[in-house]
Each structure stands twice: as structure tokens, then as C-alpha cells.
Amino acid sequence: MKTTREWPAFTVSKKAAASLAAGHPWVYDNEITGLPAALPEPGGLADVFSLRGSYLGTAFYSPHSRIRLRVISRSANDRFDADFWRRRIEYAWAYRKQVMGRTDCQCCRVVFGEADQLPGLTVDRFGPLLSVQITSVGMERRKDVILPLLVRVLREDGQRIDGVFERNDLALRDKEGLARGKGWYPLPGEPLPASPLTEICENGVYYTVDVENGQKTGFFLDQKYNRQAVARLAAGRTVLDCFTHTGSFALNAARGGAAHVTAVDVSAQAVEMARRNARRNGLEERMDFVCADVFDLLPQLEAQPRKYDFIILDPPAFTKSRATAHSALRGYKEINLRAMRLLPRGGYLATASCSHFAPAPEFVKMLHAAARDAGRALRQIEARQQAPDHPILWEVPETDYLKFYLFQVV
């Protein structure tokens, strides 16, 4: 039953209580059945109770979001001081070192929001720079405690950290009543870094990363080991990398011994960055770069003599909501069907989706339909997901978002 505590108390529905008891950290606005006498301020702490009065956790409160409560602790004994947040950060960093190794931790996701019990906080490390996104008002209110602690924990482990860049220019902040913006986070007593550009090495490939203007936090880290899988199959192949962005799959294929790689992206800026990365790695002689819309290019290639025997499809998320998931699956089917038609018998296809709203069963169903309509049979080589620095909590399906398949056309 309820006991006297210092935080305002919310009561939630039976459905929400069951979800929280099963490990999910969110309570939606329509799942709240009882309010405290005085509401917390935005980002303030609140206790969550079942209809029977059982304590379910302590949460961030957000009056503007449909996700009204985000549970940060399920222990009634926790005190939410600097030591609490330090333990969370230390736990997240220890996990990365264990599953990635210290070398791969030089560029990795250090914090993955709810998967690290730090809801609304994403931290990517690119060598000496940390790129941060904050998408909950509760985390925004505590960043002046958490971000300096994050730097301290890494430095105490011997890691070089020169600066923290906030990439808070994303639309999700609107839902929390937060302003958008980006810029250096001022670490107490330290000068700001001179440049948002840094260089990383992933799988032996060097990239320039722009934490200020690059997509998302500056570079996509979740496909790290999927790029290795592509490199293993690329030797001697003629490769078409669609939606190349900064050339990551294309460069891994070229480094893996591909005979030639064509990298395609609709963004001229991305194509130029991919070209510079190819020069940096000494791979430009076996690569060419095309600025084109993949949806237009693939049909054009069907009318030409067959030239590719390995096609990579790594598009941006075609949907960011359930409302548009059906039309997104049509887009995925279109590019996969076209790619399958282009490939000869014995050719290889790598295909991915990074949208949580296109779940694996629906994505697989789409691939079956695309193969049937293309008149192709597929032999599955591997089914993969995001790298383990983006951990998946089974109780939180939103953390499971990346689908990656390797096939041979037979």
C-alpha cells in the first residue's frame, strides 16, 4: 500500500501497471487514473502506483508528451542524487567495454536511452568527441549533473574526451515542450573544442565525422558489424551500394576486396563526403559515386546490361509512425524487388530497415512478396540486428529497430 514519500503520486490503470511490472518504462496520458494534489513541474519526479496501491516505480513527469511518465527506478530506496546517475553511467560504460572491447569503444553508442535506464538520453562517442541528444524534459533538467559525470567517468577510465556536442535539433523535442538547437556543451573550466570535425576508424576504415551537421548524431554506428559481414562477401564482386550516405557499406566492400563499388545517394553533400572518405582510405580507384534517387535509378539499371552481382540496400527510415507504416513497406518492396531483378543467379543482396514501425515479421513478409513478384528464390545467409552497443531490451520493443538480411539469389 502507499506510504508517505516526497514525490507526488500518480495512479495508473491495470493495463499500465501490468506493462510496468513486465519491465516497460512508459505510462501514456490515457493510462493515468489518479493525479496528485499538486502536479510536479515539467521534468520533475513522481511516484507511480497501481490501483491497489502497490509502488511501481519513480518516473520523470512530462505534461506535454503522450508519454506522461518515464520510469527511471523501480526501487523505493533510491535517492536521485549525483551518485545515482554516476552508477547508471558506469554501468552503461562497463557494458560497452565488455561486449565491444576497448578498441571498438573508441566509436560506439555509450548511452541508448531506455535500454540503459536513462530515458531520453542518447550519447554517441566519436573518438575524442561525444555527441548527445536529449529527448525528455526530465533528462534536460538534469543534464548539468549527468553530462559532466559522463565525461568524468570516461576520463577516469583513461579515455580521451575533448568535448560534448548537443545535437538537440530533432523534432522529438517538440513533444516534450523543449526548444530545438545544437551547440557545444560548456564543460566547467574547459575551453570549447575548435572544430566539430573528427576522424574515427571503424572496421579499419577511416571516416571524417561532423557532429554538428552530420545525420543524427554525426554517423550511424548501429551497422558496424553488419558492414563487416558485407566486407566478407564482397571479394571479387561488382557492388552497388544504394543510400550510401557517407559511404560506409561501400568502403567496407571495397576494403573487403570488391572488384568495383558504385556508391549512390540522393544528397550531393553525402556523395562528396563518401568520395573524400574513399580518398582518405586509398580506395577511390575501385569506386565511383553517383548522385541520384535510388527509386529512379534502379528501374533505369534494369534496362541496361547486367553489371552488378552484389547490391546493398540501407535506406533511411521510410516511416517514423504506425500511420505511415503500410506505405513505407510499399517503398521497401519496390527497391527490394528491383534489386532482386537486377541480380544474376548467385548474386548477393544485403537489405536493411532501421524503422521500429516496420517490425521484423512485416519486413520478412515484404521480402517474400518482393522475391515472388521478381521471380527469384532467396537463400538466407544471415539475419542480423543492430550492434550490441545499441542493446535490445525484450520488455521494451522500441529498442529493437534494425533489421538486416544477407541473401544469395538462387
Side-chain angles (χ1 to χ4, degrees):
M1 299 299 291
K2 293 182 183 179
T3 57
T4 302
R5 287 175 55 83
E6 59 184 296
W7 316 119
F10 286 79
T11 304
V12 299
S13 68
K14 184 177 180 181
K15 176 185 175 184
S19 175
L20 291 174
H24 203 285
W26 295 349
V27 176
Y28 289 92
D29 53 357
N30 61 359
E31 295 176 323
I32 293 173
T33 60
L35 299 172
L39 290 172
E41 60 184 1
L45 295 176
D47 283 337
V48 186
F49 291 89
S50 71
L51 291 170
R52 295 184 176 182
S54 299
Y55 172 77
L56 298 170
T58 301
F60 290 152
Y61 171 69
S62 175
H64 301 292
S65 174
R66 279 203 62 223
I67 305 173
R68 197 56 50 93
L69 299 167
R70 298 172 188 263
V71 170
I72 59 170
S73 169
R74 300 170 191 275
S75 170
N77 297 318
D78 273 334
R79 309 298 302 173
F80 304 103
D81 53 13
D83 288 341
F84 172 85
W85 299 112
R86 183 185 177 97
R87 287 193 299 273
R88 286 286 162 88
I89 294 165
E90 289 175 336
Y91 186 71
W93 179 239
Y95 166 81
R96 269 71 186 180
K97 289 193 297 180
Q98 183 68 40
V99 301
M100 305 288 286
R102 294 187 75 94
T103 299
D104 277 358
C105 281
Q106 295 301 304
C107 49
C108 73
R109 177 151 293 183
V110 179
V111 175
F112 186 37
E114 279 74 359
D116 289 300
Q117 297 182 294
L118 292 163
L121 178 65
T122 297
V123 181
D124 284 342
R125 181 187 182 187
F126 303 111
L129 300 183
L130 300 180
S131 184
V132 173
Q133 287 186 331
I134 295 175
T135 56
S136 75
V137 63
M139 195 58 66
E140 179 75 19
R141 281 191 56 191
R142 288 158 186 83
K143 72 178 183 180
D144 290 338
V145 173
I146 292 172
L147 296 185
L149 275 173
L150 175 67
V151 172
R152 192 176 310 152
V153 166
L154 294 178
R155 286 176 175 170
E156 287 174 358
D157 191 48
Q159 307 299 312
R160 175 188 166 188
I161 303 297
D162 294 343
V164 177
F165 196 89
E166 294 187 81
R167 280 299 300 269
N168 291 331
D169 52 347
L170 63 173
L172 274 176
R173 286 175 63 89
D174 300 348
K175 298 180 179 181
E176 293 278 316
L178 297 171
R180 301 189 208 183
K182 57 183 178 179
W184 292 108
Y185 177 81
L187 293 170
E190 298 185 25
L192 299 179
S195 172
L197 300 178
T198 188
E199 184 175 82
I200 64 169
C201 182
E202 181 196 83
N203 302 339
V205 179
Y206 292 90
Y207 304 89
T208 297
V209 174
D210 183 347
V211 296
E212 181 176 14
N213 299 306
Q215 288 194 13
K216 299 293 186 180
T217 60
F219 183 81
F220 295 106
L221 295 166
D222 50 5
Q223 296 268 32
K224 177 182 295 189
Y225 299 130
N226 299 338
R227 293 173 191 135
Q228 283 185 348
V230 161
R232 288 196 296 269
L233 289 176
R237 297 281 166 182
T238 302
V239 180
L240 176 66
D241 178 25
C242 300
F243 311 98
T244 194
H245 187 40
T246 53
S248 53
F249 273 108
L251 291 164
N252 275 264
R255 192 172 185 272
H260 190 82
V261 181
T262 299
V264 181
D265 202 280
V266 72
S267 165
Q269 182 180 6
V271 167
E272 181 54 34
M273 179 69 79
R275 186 179 284 112
R276 289 201 299 268
N277 285 332
R279 286 197 296 268
R280 170 64 180 88
N281 288 277
L283 297 169
E284 68 272 27
E285 291 185 2
R286 285 185 287 122
M287 301 181 70
D288 69 295
F289 302 87
V290 177
C291 185
D293 187 323
V294 171
F295 284 91
D296 296 331
L297 179 66
L298 292 178
Q300 295 169 16
L301 292 176
E302 283 188 63
Q304 300 175 12
R306 183 169 285 135
K307 57 186 291 189
Y308 299 107
D309 55 7
F310 193 171
I311 297 178
I312 302 162
L313 301 173
D314 180 30
F318 287 164
T319 177
K320 296 185 179 181
S321 71
R322 288 184 178 86
T324 59
H326 184 70
S327 61
L329 285 165
R330 287 201 303 269
Y332 286 121
K333 182 181 177 183
E334 170 74 9
I335 58 173
N336 279 276
L337 183 151
R338 299 272 182 195
M340 291 174 195
R341 284 179 178 170
L342 279 169
L343 288 166
R345 181 179 181 183
Y348 292 96
L349 173 67
T351 184
S353 166
C354 60
S355 174
H356 162 67
F357 296 104
E362 292 300 313
F363 192 70
V364 169
K365 182 179 177 182
M366 175 278 300
L367 289 172
H368 277 291
R372 182 177 62 249
D373 291 355
R376 299 292 189 268
L378 301 177
R379 176 158 58 194
Q380 181 176 310
I381 301 166
E382 287 189 84
R384 305 176 63 89
Q385 294 175 287
Q386 64 242 40
D389 54 340
H390 298 61
I392 296 168
L393 293 188
W394 279 25
E395 299 83 2
V396 187
E398 292 81 2
T399 61
D400 181 1
Y401 67 95
L402 182 63
K403 284 75 60 180
F404 183 87
Y405 290 87
L406 282 169
F407 296 107
Q408 185 178 40
V409 176
V410 295

